[in-house]
Amino acid sequence: MTGKNISSYKEFILLGFSDLPNLQGFLFGIILVIYICILLGNGLIIVIINMDRALQTPMYFFLGNFSFVEICYTSVTLPRMLRNLWSQKRQITLLSCAVQLCFFLNLAVAESFLLSVMAYDRYMAICKPLYYPLIMNHKMCVRMVIGSWVTGIPIIIGQTYQVFSVPFCGSNILNHVFCDMPPIMKLACGDTSGIEFFIFFDCFLFAFIPFLLILYSYIRILSTILKLSSITGRSKAFSTCSSHLIVVCLYYGSGVIAYMQSMYNYSGRTDKIFSLFYLIVTPMVNPMIYSLRNKDFTEAMRKLFSKYVR
């Protein structure tokens, strides 16, 4: 297919882990177990939050929505990855690839905004406790969640259409585990500088700005906590923020940095490992972080199990 424009063709070929033929079964088993853990762990968070009245607060409302995003986020990519490993059929139509990329990017944007919303919630609770019940009412929380879900949709759809409107030439082989922006742009030919500019603009708008808002919120939170005279009060304030901070570090450390780095210098094997990390690690450890480090959630889980498991 060298030298031909493959825009007239109907599919890409996802290489995945085809360079490790002896580990296909092992990788399938590992990824399947991880995917099941992600579904069960995040699903359990949603169930417990909805069943326990003590957890009907803005913080847990946002956490439940975040867990739902995590389930959707991994379900966009992991099932097809498992299918490719099981059947060794690596073809994906251009339409399916575009749909997967569009949903993946929209869910990544929603996750980024939800993390900033959760940081704002902690900022209001710690820095402005008197105004917290008035501002963070249920209607406002619902609006913030809806905003997190829909804000990026029109821009991401336009970006996806723009990417798949360019001619692809040379090869239809994607050296990646799913349809992601860097390997797709690697196959594009002609002048792609305009598209690359908008990609970096989207990264700035949907990743860097939410990160700055999170950073600002925690600077204000830290400043307020250090002014507390009570050691118990400081400890309690830190404990309510620590779980969210860990998730933020995992998400931005593994996802955004790796994604932007790959746009500058894409290398197949390295980026496959990075992509698996931000695709799997954060959704998998999220339930453990919140359940093990949160006394209210641990107590709610204990009540649920003691009620239904006897």
Side-chain angles (χ1 to χ4, degrees):
M1 300 179 72
T2 303
K4 294 182 180 179
N5 184 336
I6 69 164
S7 296
S8 59
Y9 292 81
K10 303 297 183 183
E11 63 186 24
F12 285 130
I13 297 174
L14 282 168
L15 282 186
F17 297 102
S18 57
D19 56 336
L20 302 171
N22 297 326
L23 296 177
Q24 299 294 294
F26 174 75
L27 290 171
F28 175 85
I30 291 294
I31 294 174
L32 178 61
V33 170
I34 290 173
Y35 183 49
I36 292 172
C37 290
I38 290 170
L39 295 180
L40 292 177
N42 287 283
L44 183 63
I45 286 180
I46 296 170
V47 170
I48 290 175
I49 288 173
N50 282 286
M51 292 187 66
D52 196 300
R53 290 183 178 274
L55 301 182
Q56 303 300 307
T57 63
M59 181 175 74
Y60 293 106
F61 176 73
F62 294 136
L63 175 59
N65 279 275
F66 184 75
S67 294
F68 181 66
V69 172
E70 297 277 51
I71 290 173
C72 297
Y73 183 71
T74 51
S75 296
V76 167
T77 53
L78 291 189
R80 178 172 281 276
M81 196 185 304
L82 289 167
R83 177 200 153 200
N84 292 350
L85 284 168
W86 179 260
S87 66
Q88 300 301 304
K89 294 180 180 178
R90 308 184 187 281
Q91 295 86 355
I92 182 170
T93 65
L94 264 66
L95 178 60
S96 297
C97 189
V99 170
Q100 185 184 67
L101 177 65
C102 188
F103 273 95
F104 173 77
L105 293 178
N106 271 305
L107 289 164
V109 170
E111 190 169 6
S112 181
F113 278 125
L114 273 174
L115 285 171
S116 62
V117 165
M118 293 167 78
Y120 177 74
D121 172 69
R122 293 298 83 209
Y123 161 73
M124 290 299 301
I126 294 173
C127 301
K128 299 184 182 295
L130 297 179
Y131 295 99
Y132 182 75
L134 298 174
I135 296 176
M136 300 302 292
N137 55 64
H138 183 68
K139 184 181 290 186
M140 177 58 72
C141 293
V142 170
R143 287 175 179 172
M144 294 173 82
V145 167
I146 293 174
S148 298
W149 276 92
V150 305
T151 298
I153 290 177
I155 296 177
I156 295 300
I157 290 176
Q159 184 75 80
T160 304
Y161 175 79
Q162 190 181 30
V163 168
F164 280 86
S165 296
V166 301
F168 300 105
C169 50
S171 173
N172 66 339
I173 296 175
L174 287 177
N175 188 16
H176 208 52
V177 292
F178 68 98
C179 288
D180 201 2
M181 195 74 79
I184 293 173
M185 291 302 297
K186 189 79 172 177
L187 299 183
C189 56
D191 184 14
T192 60
S193 57
I195 297 176
E196 290 173 0
F197 170 78
F198 282 110
I199 290 173
F200 284 112
F201 176 77
D202 289 348
C203 288
F204 176 80
L205 186 65
F206 297 133
F208 189 63
I209 289 180
F211 177 75
L212 288 180
L213 292 174
I214 293 170
L215 185 63
Y216 174 77
S217 296
Y218 275 104
I219 289 173
R220 295 292 301 274
I221 288 170
L222 182 62
S223 176
T224 302
I225 290 175
L226 293 176
K227 292 176 183 177
L228 295 176
S229 57
S230 169
I231 297 177
T232 305
R234 288 183 186 179
S235 177
K236 186 176 180 180
F238 273 121
S239 67
T240 62
C241 300
S242 58
S243 299
H244 179 254
L245 268 175
I246 294 172
V247 173
V248 167
C249 291
L250 284 172
Y251 176 77
Y252 282 99
S254 61
V256 178
I257 295 173
Y259 197 81
M260 294 185 73
Q261 179 270 339
S262 64
M263 292 300 297
Y264 281 108
N265 184 26
Y266 180 77
S267 60
R269 178 167 291 187
T270 303
D271 286 278
K272 287 178 194 178
I273 295 170
F274 269 120
S275 64
L276 276 181
F277 194 82
Y278 68 72
L279 201 64
I280 288 176
V281 173
T282 304
M284 183 176 65
V285 303
N286 174 45
M288 291 184 285
I289 290 170
Y290 280 102
S291 61
L292 296 177
R293 298 182 62 85
N294 191 300
K295 291 181 181 179
D296 292 336
F297 194 86
T298 305
E299 180 62 22
M301 192 186 302
R302 188 191 62 78
K303 288 179 183 177
L304 180 68
F305 280 106
S306 62
K307 183 178 181 180
Y308 292 100
V309 183
R310 294 181 179 178

